[in-house]
Amino acid sequence: MASATSEGPLLGQSALKVLVAGGFGVGKTTMVGAVSEIPPLRTEELLTEAGAGIDDITGLDRKTTTTVALDFGRITVNPELVLYLFGTPGQERFWFMWDELAAGALGAVVLADTRRLDSCFPAVDFFEHRGIPFVLAVNCFDGSPRYPVDEVREALDIDGPVPIVHCDVRAKDSSKEVLVTLLEHLVQRAEVGVLA
Amino acid sequence: MAEDSWFDEDAGPLVRPFALTRGRTRPGRYDLDMITLVVAIGSHREPGREPEYARILAACQRPVSVAEVSATVDLPLVVVKVLLSDLIERGELLFRSPPRTVSPQTDRVVLQAVLDGVRNL
Ligand SMILES: Nc1nc2c(ncn2[C@@H]2O[C@H](COP(=O)(O)OP(=O)(O)O)[C@@H](O)[C@H]2O)c(=O)[nH]1
Ligand SMILES: [Mg+2]
């Protein structure tokens, strides 16, 4: 263990996080709620820097301080480990905040909606550029076209090793399977010694 | 409520949280992450304690993340980090930073534990 003051020796538990990213309305909060042991909680991060990430659509003065909401849930892995899942807003204007969100994250689930595939591009780009491992999960909304994995991979230009799965985020088992896929991917990377 | 006197009524909603931190936006010398775990050492019922600190200590009676404290007391993360730092400084709170990457081997063990935990959901 490193320094006792920073690690807190009397606290026998530590926490890890996974991000759930994707465009607005794709099912991030639904997925977090499906697997969380507590109802999803909401916290707010401040957007303060002048001009940083506040776009015209918000209709806000560029110097106005505003906040962005993050939904999150928790899974107690074992007595020593807690996993937090953070639903992170996918819009590019929040990218400056993603750096802090992504710092130390084990990996990410990028949710896609086949009716609006392009809304997951910013998230895919971000994780690819930062070298953060992720899986792409296509949330199958009722009545939306269900494309084979190969077609989704091609349409989104996703690298070969990145797992792609279909899911229904409303179902606990389905959301859980997505997380299992991500963690198997992470374990496999660790086994072959890929540095995160 | 006592905390109402801490800020000017005309100030916008975002001024109020910073009034609680007396304008501070940085969490002192502690590098608190939103998944840093915190737990109160003593009771939050000590007489004379400022209400915001008491509310925060009440929210950390068992180990919880900074994000959970923020959600429970309904204050932005940045504000909660400042107030938590004050409590750490006063010795009223223990904290534990998220584990740093040590080696691929320990990472593998931790990841496998998380995988097992998720499979058992
Ligand atoms: N039919 C259907 N509706 C869904 C599905 N996933 C989410 N929804 C609904 O879509 C809306 C947006 O989901 P939400 O999780 O809030 O999206 P977020 O913006 O990504 O957090 C909610 O009303 C959900 O109930 C799905 O798989 N199928
Ligand atoms: Mg949401």
Side-chain angles (χ1 to χ4, degrees), chain A residues 64-77:
Chain A
T64 307
T65 301
T66 185
T67 60
V68 58
L70 303 169
D71 292 321
F72 67 98
R74 70 180 263 162
I75 295 170
T76 302
V77 167

Side-chain angles (χ1 to χ4, degrees), chain A residues 3 18 28 33 53 56 85 87 113 120:
Chain A
S3 111
V18 158
K28 300 181 294 292
D56 297 334
L85 298 175
D113 172 351
C120 74

Side-chain angles (χ1 to χ4, degrees), chain A:
Chain A
M1 281 289 117
S3 111
T5 21
S6 72
E7 300 281 334
L10 295 176
L11 223 169
Q13 209 174 33
S14 61
L16 300 165
K17 69 182 164 186
V18 158
L19 307 183
V20 180
F24 180 74
V26 74
K28 300 181 294 292
T29 304
T30 307
M31 171 175 262
V32 168
V35 289
S36 174
E37 67 201 21
I38 52 169
L41 294 173
R42 168 161 289 211
T43 182
E44 279 185 356
E45 189 63 288
L46 230 40
L47 309 182
T48 42
E49 310 319 319
I54 299 171
D55 70 17
D56 297 334
I57 299 162
T58 65
L60 292 169
D61 183 310
R62 286 195 165 265
K63 293 197 184 77
T64 307
T65 301
T66 185
T67 60
V68 58
L70 303 169
D71 292 321
F72 67 98
R74 70 180 263 162
I75 295 170
T76 302
V77 167
N78 62 39
E80 288 93 43
L81 272 182
V82 194
L83 178 68
Y84 287 93
L85 298 175
F86 283 89
T88 57
Q91 295 89 319
E92 271 165 309
R93 63 197 163 96
F94 296 135
W95 271 31
F96 73 97
M97 193 183 79
W98 285 14
D99 275 324
E100 193 198 332
L101 280 172
L106 296 181
V109 172
V110 175
L111 279 178
D113 172 351
T114 49
R115 298 166 304 180
R116 291 171 288 145
L117 260 192
D118 57 340
S119 70
C120 74
F121 280 142
V124 168
D125 263 6
F126 177 87
F127 295 122
E128 276 180 352
H129 280 111
R130 296 295 191 287
I132 295 164
F134 66 97
V135 297
L136 187 89
V138 182
N139 187 19
C140 300
F141 283 85
D142 305 321
S144 64
R146 198 180 164 119
Y147 300 103
V149 161
D150 289 350
E151 281 182 34
V152 175
R153 189 179 296 283
E154 199 169 325
L156 287 172
D157 194 19
I158 304 275
D159 288 347
V162 175
I164 300 182
V165 291
H166 288 96
C167 64
D168 179 342
V169 293
R170 294 166 301 176
K172 178 182 175 181
D173 283 345
S174 183
S175 282
K176 182 180 135 179
E177 264 322 294
V178 174
L179 276 186
V180 166
T181 304
L182 173 66
L183 286 155
E184 284 172 345
H185 180 55
L186 297 177
V187 168
Q188 206 187 350
R189 283 168 49 99
E191 271 165 0
V192 300
V194 181
L195 290 175

Side-chain angles (χ1 to χ4, degrees), chain A residues 11 43-44 84 101 184, chain B residues 34 68 70 77 96 108 119:
Chain A
L11 223 169
T43 182
E44 279 185 356
Y84 287 93
L101 280 172
E184 284 172 345
Chain B
M34 59 191 179
E68 277 165 294
S70 156
L77 278 170
R96 178 149 180 177
R108 211 203 69 84
R119 276 201 179 118

